[in-house]
Amino acid sequence: MTFARRPILQALALAALAATAATSTFAQGAGNYPNKPIKLIVPFAAGGSTDVVARVLAEGLRSTLGQPVVVDNRAGAGGLVGTEAVAQAPADGYTVGMATVSTMTINPLLYTRAAGLPAKLMPVAGLVSMPAVYMVHPNLGVKDFAGFLAKAKAEPGKISGAVPGLGTLGHLMLASFNDTLKTDILLVPYRGSDPALNDALAGMVQLMPDQLPSAMPQIKSGKLIPIVQAASQRAPELPNVPTFKELGYNGLNELGISWFGIVLPKGTPEPIARRLQDAALKAVQLPDVQQRLKALAAAPIQVDQARFAAQIAQETQRNKVLLDQVGVKPE
């Protein structure tokens, strides 16, 4: 009996030693993270809001992680190409993805190709918020929100609003505007923000929401007039323009605020994810990072891994309801 049990006990001992060694090796690897440059994939083209924010964050992460963070633009299919590249990367912490409202809470509902993406990604942290502003063309003859709302109600169906595509955040914003304020603004979809802005500048459409950084040149030049903001507080650049929150429309306010965060491939070891989360939350506290974000009309936020995952889930459910209401189906 003793001899029969000996091989079993030896096998169990060897298995325990192997497990201890594996745990020790893993812990050491996580403790050394990172020991080489990190790639930050941006799922949009260079020069856009996501890219500009990513480059600010990359510099901050370089300081807090002690390794270079290289921005890699992978534009295409409304953010799907880059997001897929993150999901398919090795889960070792050396490929990080920029996450946005669109890539995480709209695209999975809008494209059948993206339906499984959230399950392949690990949210790490929400880091930056960016306000939106609603602008009108001067030929509309209004100068503030009250004047616009009065005109929209007096002339239902005669005012048009530009949206950068069906099912986009801009589409949901204007559709929710109609629903909340009981207006009948005609929504005109475009293939992207640039053609929408061109027609808004030409007065072909009278209303357009846009992120504040890209909107400011048109506002400063007087080509478009700001009437209301979706922001946690009035942007310093627009001290006389109220927020939806001030006006009592919290839903419109929350819907219009864009955010940016970072994600990892699913399966990345938790110690590495926590190391990256902590470094990212510290990065947005750096004075240089905060100054550069302020110049972009953006604000640092500190949303940890658990809260970021919950926020993504909550906003996905909200956007599913909105997409159903506007009748946009996955394609």
Side-chain angles (χ1 to χ4, degrees):
M1 189 70 176
T2 301
F3 288 107
R5 290 176 59 190
R6 185 174 297 170
I8 298 174
L9 292 174
Q10 288 176 337
L12 290 173
L14 289 172
L17 286 172
T20 301
T23 301
S24 176
T25 301
F26 167 76
Q28 184 178 10
N32 290 337
Y33 172 83
N35 55 24
K36 62 181 181 179
I38 293 170
K39 180 190 299 181
L40 178 59
I41 293 181
V42 177
F44 298 101
S49 297
T50 308
D51 174 70
V52 175
V53 168
R55 293 177 188 277
V56 174
L57 293 177
E59 283 301 305
L61 285 169
R62 179 188 59 78
S63 297
T64 56
L65 287 172
Q67 288 289 343
V69 178
V70 181
V71 173
D72 181 6
N73 295 91
R74 302 280 190 93
L80 286 182
V81 171
T83 306
E84 287 172 338
V86 178
Q88 295 164 5
D92 57 7
Y94 290 97
T95 300
V96 181
M98 283 293 291
T100 71
V101 178
S102 295
T103 62
M104 298 301 293
T105 74
I106 295 180
N107 283 355
L109 304 171
L110 201 57
Y111 304 105
T112 54
R113 168 179 165 183
L117 272 180
K120 299 176 182 179
L121 297 168
M122 175 188 291
V124 175
L127 301 170
V128 177
S129 69
M130 186 172 287
V133 59
Y134 287 57
M135 306 170 289
V136 297
H137 194 273
N139 68 9
L140 191 61
V142 301
K143 296 185 178 298
D144 54 30
F145 179 77
F148 174 81
L149 189 58
K151 191 175 185 66
K153 287 182 176 294
E155 301 177 5
K158 292 186 178 180
I159 296 176
S160 57
V163 300
L166 293 175
T168 60
L169 181 60
H171 181 194
L172 299 185
M173 288 165 66
L174 283 189
S176 295
F177 186 101
N178 268 340
D179 184 60
T180 302
L181 296 166
K182 308 307 177 188
T183 54
D184 185 19
I185 296 164
L186 177 64
L187 306 188
V188 182
Y190 289 84
R191 289 186 174 274
S193 296
D194 288 343
L197 179 59
N198 288 338
D199 271 11
L201 290 171
M204 301 295 291
V205 288
Q206 291 78 48
L207 174 69
M208 181 177 175
D210 198 4
Q211 291 179 326
L212 187 57
S214 52
M216 281 309 299
Q218 325 308 330
I219 293 171
K220 287 180 178 178
S221 67
K223 294 177 181 178
L224 294 174
I225 300 171
I227 58 170
V228 64
Q229 306 178 57
S232 56
Q233 58 187 13
R234 295 190 186 193
E237 297 85 354
L238 301 174
N240 299 319
V241 179
T243 67
F244 278 120
K245 184 178 180 180
E246 292 176 60
L247 298 171
Y249 306 112
N250 288 334
L252 291 177
N253 205 70
E254 292 177 5
L255 180 61
I257 299 175
S258 297
W259 49 255
F260 304 88
I262 53 175
V263 293
L264 287 166
K266 192 75 170 181
T268 301
E270 282 293 342
I272 289 177
R274 286 196 298 271
R275 171 80 175 100
L276 182 61
Q277 170 205 259
D278 294 344
L281 295 179
K282 288 179 182 177
V284 295
Q285 296 181 68
L286 297 174
D288 181 59
V289 170
Q290 294 197 353
Q291 184 177 359
R292 292 178 65 186
L293 289 175
K294 183 178 179 181
L296 297 172
I301 55 176
Q302 292 181 290
V303 182
D304 64 22
Q305 188 172 17
R307 290 190 297 134
F308 191 36
Q311 179 182 5
I312 290 170
Q314 181 180 11
E315 293 190 14
T316 299
Q317 289 302 311
R318 177 200 67 191
N319 293 339
K320 183 180 187 305
V321 172
L322 294 176
L323 287 167
D324 288 343
Q325 288 176 350
V326 298
V328 175
K329 303 297 182 183
E331 60 181 38

